Amino acid sequence: MKIINEMKISFPSRSVNESFSRSAVASFAILLDPRMDELSDIRTAVSEAVTNCIVHAYGDSVGTIEITARILEGNIFYIRIKDKGCGIPDIEKALEPMFTTAPEEERAGLGFAVMESFMDKLTVKSKVGVGTTVTMQKKISRR
Amino acid sequence: MSIEIRMNEENLLAKISGELDHHTAAAMRTELDEKINGLNPHKLLLDFSDVSFMDSSGIGFIMGRYKLMKENGGVVEVVNTPRNINKVLKISGLDKIITIGRCKNEDN
Ligand SMILES: Nc1ncnc2c1ncn2[C@@H]1O[C@H](COP(=O)(O)OP(=O)(O)OP(=O)(O)O)[C@@H](O)[C@H]1O
Ligand SMILES: [Mg+2]
């Protein structure tokens, strides 16, 4: 699909950047003139993916998180969130609602379930010891 | 992000304002749990009317307080949840174990 516009940000995996990154992506998404609820869905989905990089991928260490956001032909918003952290050994299992490897940290295991339900498309690619890339797409209604 | 906590008879009222995510939940958890353990309320009322954002970290936050209150023989109630937060709460199924009261002017 043709790329109409694109932005990239990269930042260290510090938890203060959770709010920064979701706001930055939402500001870019505003160019598509989304409804309030669509924008809120995007903000939440980004927050889930970025928090996963901070909590799971890098854990106690600090690494780089890279976000690419695109506006595609047909009013489609595309987001890719990439880390070079620990990777996910079993993606299918990780995608199951309520599955978490960090219950002691009060994680509900719902991040992927939220991304899946708030966006139209979710793809997770991961390799243990190399990192994880999450891509999501959402069609924004025309008005 | 801020949390305002006060005791009202047997109940502990906690009014949360701002964005509830993994970053902000950490400090709030410490502050709130200290009060819960010190005052041992019968009920914890979490007022969400001024929460502008919440992701699954907020679900973990509510679940964690639910467990602590249960251990102490108490209950948790979440009140005044705005629409965008109801959407996240719905996915969690938390409404099956905790009483959740939505904002009066919200229909979903
Ligand atoms: N970027 C990542 N790197 C490594 N592991 C990950 C990554 N993202 C997710 N995971 C793994 O997938 C599991 C499920 O993720 P999900 O976001 O659904 O739940 P959670 O983060 O454990 O809990 P919650 O999101 O509800 O706080 C995580 O527990 C973790 O093991
Ligand atoms: Mg998560």
Side-chain angles (χ1 to χ4, degrees):
Chain A
M1 242 174 296
K2 203 176 147 203
I3 300 168
I4 291 168
N5 202 352
E6 182 180 78
M7 76 89 150
K8 286 179 198 248
I9 48 172
S10 82
F11 51 91
S13 61
R14 299 191 190 284
S15 62
V16 278
N17 287 326
E18 289 159 7
S19 69
F20 156 71
S21 56
R22 63 180 178 253
S23 305
V25 173
S27 308
F28 182 63
I30 284 174
L31 296 176
L32 272 169
D33 191 26
R35 294 194 313 253
M36 282 292 276
D37 61 309
E38 291 169 330
L39 196 61
S40 167
D41 289 353
I42 290 170
R43 197 179 275 127
T44 312
V46 170
S47 189
E48 295 294 354
V50 169
T51 304
N52 279 352
C53 300
I54 294 168
V55 173
H56 305 295
Y58 294 118
D60 292 332
S61 61
V62 174
T64 302
I65 301 170
E66 247 181 67
I67 302 184
T68 302
R70 291 177 181 149
I71 291 168
L72 305 178
E73 204 174 31
N75 248 35
I76 291 167
F77 195 62
Y78 164 105
I79 319 159
R80 185 178 67 203
I81 294 125
K82 198 173 161 185
D83 68 66
K84 290 182 177 149
C86 66
I88 304 173
D90 186 342
I91 296 174
E92 212 176 310
K93 190 142 204 192
L95 289 171
E96 278 173 24
M98 320 283 261
F99 174 84
T100 180
T101 49
E104 73 290 345
E105 290 172 44
E106 292 194 346
R107 311 249 52 104
L110 289 172
F112 281 132
V114 167
M115 292 182 238
E116 212 156 21
S117 93
F118 284 25
M119 302 293 283
D120 297 334
K121 225 167 143 183
L122 166 73
T123 318
V124 184
K125 286 194 180 136
S126 190
K127 208 170 169 188
V128 173
V130 179
T132 303
T133 302
V134 172
T135 50
M136 298 181 277
Q137 282 191 29
K138 188 178 182 70
K139 192 171 167 65
I140 304 302
S141 56
R142 289 186 192 279
R143 40 175 195 159
Chain B
M1 183 88 244
S2 74
I3 183 164
E4 206 184 295
I5 310 169
R6 65 187 170 89
M7 199 72 184
N8 184 349
E9 290 171 14
E10 298 266 271
N11 302 336
L12 192 65
L13 304 178
K15 191 172 195 316
I16 301 166
S17 309
E19 304 195 318
L20 178 47
D21 63 12
H22 159 251
H23 178 74
T24 59
M28 279 200 319
R29 176 163 50 225
T30 315
E31 200 176 332
L32 187 52
D33 287 1
E34 203 172 287
K35 288 272 169 33
I36 294 172
N37 289 322
L39 298 164
N40 203 20
H42 170 64
K43 190 195 269 182
L44 170 66
L45 265 166
L46 294 169
D47 186 346
F48 269 57
S49 47
D50 289 338
V51 177
S52 54
F53 173 88
M54 185 184 102
D55 60 18
S56 67
S57 297
I59 302 294
F61 174 82
I62 299 171
M63 269 174 26
R65 308 299 66 72
Y66 165 77
K67 282 184 192 151
L68 179 61
M69 285 300 293
K70 206 175 160 195
E71 274 170 28
N72 295 357
V75 292
V76 173
E77 206 176 307
V78 180
V79 295
N80 297 329
T81 55
R83 184 185 304 234
N84 56 333
I85 286 158
N86 285 329
K87 218 172 152 178
V88 182
L89 285 168
K90 206 169 172 183
I91 296 172
S92 74
L94 217 55
D95 54 339
K96 292 185 189 81
I97 54 168
I98 294 172
T99 310
I100 294 171
R102 296 167 183 156
C103 276
K104 284 188 197 77
N105 56 349
E106 303 280 353
D107 49 35
N108 72 327

